[in-house]
Amino acid sequence: MSEHTITVAGVAVDTRHWIGGERVASAQTFPDVSPIDGSTIGEISRGTGMEAAAAVAAAKAAFPAWAATSRAERARILHAIADGVEKRIEELSIVETTDNGALLRSHRRGVMPRVAHNFRFFADWLLKLEHEDFETRGHTNHVSWDPAGPSVLITPWNAPLMLATWKVAPALAAGNTVILKPAEWTPLTASLLADIAAEAGLPAGVLNVVQGYGSEIGDALTSHPDVRRISFTGSVPTAKRIAESAAANLTPLSLELGGKSPLLVFADADLDLAVDLAVEQYDNAGQVCLAATRFLVEESVAEEFTRRFVEKAGQLTQGDPRGEATDIGPNIHPLQLEKIDGFVQRAVAAGARAVIGGHRKDGQYYAPTLLTAVAQDSEIVQEEIFGPVLTLQTFATEDEAVRLANDTRFGLAATLATGAPERAERVTAQLVAGTVWTNCFFVRDLQAPFGGSRHSGVGREGGTWSFDFYCDVKNTVTSPNGWNNHG
């Protein structure tokens, strides 16, 4: 076994970058620490501008041949990558759980199968991607999608491989080459993806994986003049820095950022359903950008809703995410835990009441928390926490519910619980959000547009929207005249 290989729960993972079809080590490393117990999993190659330049050069060199590869062949390779993922679901699951602390059972049953589906969906969508030709004064218009070029994809730590492949799959399907930069807190499954892609026959340089800190390698990637697309999922402050870097080259951006999404519960809702939706917001220890962290409940049912919520939330099991019965695992990093607790303690000092939780537990675990008596303009209501912390406010009228729901700088998602279809139609039409769920939560289809409004993001991806972003969309207009009729 190489000195650059670590073993994670029996799975070998290479800690070097993957550039131009080869493993490349850096002079320096950074520690990768498991949130489960705080142990160091391994030392990871720490990239700088040098590795960034090498990865972009490799992607640029590989681009012409990959862009010229037929749609059918690209789709075949993407399906082969999906096959490789499915063969290694157990390995990918245990490595990612060790790396980011999310539930092992969720990885096995949902997340890693979704990784494979990401590749299959975009491979199949590529083969049916078309726009019907149309006529203009006898001239024919033909729309096509031309590969844009090397694409930098910067991904978060809360669902590392699933969110990475949500970007990688359409970028590759579109004919682009890719430089993937995973979050430094969770780099391991991206390294395994490089192995799987190579085994599936993806040509060298088409997918490159580089690791390191944003300030050291991320800036070098996003400011590179040969990069043609940048897709980022993460925080608003980081997105602003990326946009500044990209501005000099006018590099198109897709940004999926934070959220402070509401759950609106009306008096006519099925309260048991509403409570189930509410408790679901503790998924992944609250580290879900789409989570409805602000409960807005009609006054007449607020007391009963709260009682049922507290009872159901009390049935959750928090602990080691590798346990089959565990519902909530640890938070990702000590810095994130400090941030979460800081929000809660400042809110309580300002008058908020912790109905449940409100405190740390041993290690990197934070007790599931619900805060009431919070002001609309308070930090706890306005800012993304990214932990198992929810707030509850009440409203008297439908108009007030909509006003409170829209009264943040974010607009990623919203969830609505009501028994009246007419109300659902009225309210959803007024909500500022990229996705709205009515009497359900987290139902996602890859053919649907995904993205946020306001500070929750720029652009939409999914289905044809992904190809619109990763390609240069071209319209070719042909005159019926001028042919020389030479046959």
Side-chain angles (χ1 to χ4, degrees), residues 256-318:
E256 195 269 278
L257 310 177
K260 196 67 180 176
S261 303
L263 166 60
L264 293 82
V265 179
F266 288 91
D268 58 14
D270 177 335
L271 272 194
D272 286 334
L273 171 63
V275 168
D276 286 344
L277 295 174
V279 173
E280 196 174 347
Q281 308 312 312
Y282 288 131
D283 182 47
N284 200 18
Q287 299 168 143
V288 178
C289 58
L290 293 162
T293 57
R294 296 184 294 131
F295 299 166
L296 304 175
V297 185
E298 194 163 351
E299 290 174 352
S300 61
V301 296
E303 184 176 345
E304 179 64 13
F305 172 88
T306 303
R307 184 190 68 77
R308 296 192 199 185
F309 175 85
V310 169
E311 179 181 355
K312 192 168 186 69
Q315 299 169 9
L316 297 173
T317 299
Q318 187 169 25

Side-chain angles (χ1 to χ4, degrees), residues 179-225:
I179 306 99
L180 171 63
K181 192 274 182 194
E184 58 266 28
W185 288 349
T186 53
L188 300 183
T189 48
S191 180
L192 293 177
L193 177 64
D195 295 334
I196 292 171
E199 291 165 7
L202 190 69
V206 174
L207 172 65
N208 306 274
V209 179
V210 291
Q211 303 144 163
Y213 298 118
S215 59
E216 295 178 350
I217 192 169
D219 290 346
L221 290 171
T222 56
S223 62
H224 200 292

Side-chain angles (χ1 to χ4, degrees), residues 361-422:
K361 302 176 80 171
D362 291 339
Q364 285 176 212
Y365 296 79
Y366 204 88
T369 297
L370 176 66
L371 300 176
T372 59
V374 293
Q376 178 63 22
D377 62 355
S378 63
E379 176 192 55
I380 199 75
V381 169
Q382 293 293 326
E383 297 299 324
E384 185 177 47
I385 301 168
F386 228 59
V389 178
L390 311 171
T391 62
L392 188 149
Q393 299 165 271
T394 61
F395 62 85
T397 67
E398 189 177 294
D399 287 345
E400 184 183 12
V402 171
R403 178 181 62 79
L404 292 173
N406 289 338
D407 187 22
T408 75
R409 63 192 173 106
F410 297 103
L412 187 56
T415 304
L416 173 67
T418 178
E422 301 83 3

